[in-house]
Amino acid sequence: MKDYDNNKNKKQAAGRRFAIPFFVVLAVLTIIAFIIPLRPSVSYAEKRELAKFPEFSWDALISGSYFDDISFWFSDTFPGREAWLQMYDRVEELHGKSDIALGGELVTTDSIPDSQDAAASETASPAPSDSPEPSAEPEEETAKAGIELEPNAEILFGSVIQINDTVYHYFGFNKLWSDRFIDCVNNFADAVADEDVRVITCLIPSSVGILFDKEYMEKLQCADQEAAIDYISDGLNDSVIPVDMYDKLLAHRDEYLFFRTDHHWTALGAYYGYASLCETLGMEAAPLSSFEEMDQGTYIGSLFWNAPNSSKLKKDNLYAYCPPGDITMSITDSSGYSFEAPLILDKTNDDPNTKYVSFLTGDHPLCTIVNNDIKDDSSCVIIKDSFGNPVAPYLTQNYHTVYAIDFRTYRQFLLQDFVKEYDVDDVIFMPALGMVQEAGAISSFNYICQTH
């Protein structure tokens, strides 16, 4: 009996020896978790601000929402959250791997009505290289071969497509919002018909629509982006000038036009978009060789964190191109305050997740860019989302002043009043094609394009 009691006491003592350090560590982690300066305020992986500690109010306390908000703040800003999320993703990957996988919720897509100018383009084969250098352009450009999918490739359907070392954003067509965009542009064009201003549309396709042949769209459950662009372009008034970026990008799709880990195009892809715009408007595109290349190093885009097997992804490299000339840029924030900022921000030594803000130093309601070497008073305004950021520096070689308006956040002037106030020559609608399929984006377009 005495031996039994001794063994029992030894086990209890051993248990205490293990339990005490465990609870000490737990207590320390709890204290650390509540130290606000240690908690992150921004998620570079998710490209968003994290929850803020809620302000106290008696109404919130009585309703119970105050403590719910504290609970959400605690979980959303836990110290080291991104490292924990990466660890979780790695564990999830061990549950099963596939060369082709899709994650997230599948976006519904409408059938695209036939376009008068729709023309099928057929091709097939190699993937794009990482070279930032543009290829020599023949007099008449033809589409390069696209990426091939194996006939027996297993695909799990969702909204983020991973194929080997690259992630692609799903594209679905929405007829309602496309029609609303058409109406928005047409109404604006009618409102400024008596002004000496050109109205132009440049719809920017995404990687899945350029890098893969149309024969794979059904397999990937994506809509045909060329057909979507043609449908929108055919609905525009004769006074609106549509720019076809699709064919130009298709002719160069074996180059590094889109990031592997992000939904954006690269600065090289943006250059070909700029070249398409210049050709349509009868302007000469500045050669890429006239810009100073900035190799900003490794870039990790937002889709990296949504990939089912992110460990398989090949990280990107971000190149930016600084235009020649005496060029200045000022930013106007949402409060109307203006300040000077660099056109191309050097992010070489910064967090790889943040490097896309190199272009125009990120998304701002209004950027005003002036090339003092161009002596006339030529000007344009581009109505854009973040896809337009790497395009703006190229336009400095063709206009004295380039206004870059982010339609999602700019509220200082209605566009009709902006054009009159600043005597703008060209109004260039340059949204990502995917944005035109979203209710929120169309709501922002409707607001800024109100007429009177």
Side-chain angles (χ1 to χ4, degrees), residues 63 67 108 190 221 225 232 245 278 283 293 357 385 428:
S63 68
F67 293 107
T108 57
D190 289 343
Q221 296 217 358
Q225 293 189 35
I232 294 171
M245 292 185 173
C278 288
M283 303 187 301
E293 181 184 281
V357 304
D385 48 52
I428 306 169

Side-chain angles (χ1 to χ4, degrees), residues 13 57 62 76 104 149 182 184 193 233 345 393 396 450:
S57 74
I62 293 170
D76 200 44
L149 283 179
I182 292 170
C184 181
S233 297
L345 190 62
T396 62
Q450 293 177 77

Side-chain angles (χ1 to χ4, degrees), residues 119-128 142-150 155 161 163 168 206-227 246-247 249-254:
S121 54
E122 300 176 1
T123 34
S125 236
T142 56
K144 296 293 192 300
I147 298 172
E148 287 186 340
L149 283 179
E150 296 298 327
I155 302 178
I161 310 166
I163 301 177
Y168 304 89
S206 66
S207 58
V208 72
I210 294 297
L211 301 182
F212 289 94
D213 293 334
K214 292 183 181 181
E215 66 186 274
Y216 298 123
M217 290 300 104
E218 183 176 354
K219 189 170 187 177
L220 296 174
Q221 296 217 358
C222 290
D224 181 341
Q225 293 189 35
E226 182 179 30
Y246 185 90
D247 286 344
L249 293 169
L250 210 64
H252 295 274
R253 64 177 172 178
D254 58 342

Side-chain angles (χ1 to χ4, degrees), residues 136-161:
E137 299 181 21
E139 289 184 8
E140 186 173 335
E141 296 180 311
T142 56
K144 296 293 192 300
I147 298 172
E148 287 186 340
L149 283 179
E150 296 298 327
N152 60 347
E154 179 184 359
I155 302 178
L156 307 173
F157 293 103
S159 60
V160 179
I161 310 166

Side-chain angles (χ1 to χ4, degrees), residues 198 277 283 326-330 332 343 360 366-382 391-405 418-419 421-428:
R198 294 186 293 186
L277 173 64
M283 303 187 301
D326 178 14
I327 297 172
T328 60
M329 184 179 80
S330 65
T332 303
L343 180 61
L360 305 188
L366 172 64
C367 295
T368 303
I369 311 162
V370 176
N371 186 345
N372 295 299
D373 290 342
I374 295 180
K375 301 304 182 183
D376 60 27
D377 58 356
S378 58
S379 64
C380 73
V381 55
I382 59 173
V391 181
Y394 299 125
L395 291 171
T396 62
Q397 302 306 288
N398 302 90
Y399 297 94
H400 173 74
T401 306
V402 176
Y403 301 101
I405 286 180
F418 187 96
V419 168
E421 178 73 16
Y422 294 101
D423 194 22
V424 172
D425 298 314
D426 292 337
V427 177
I428 306 169

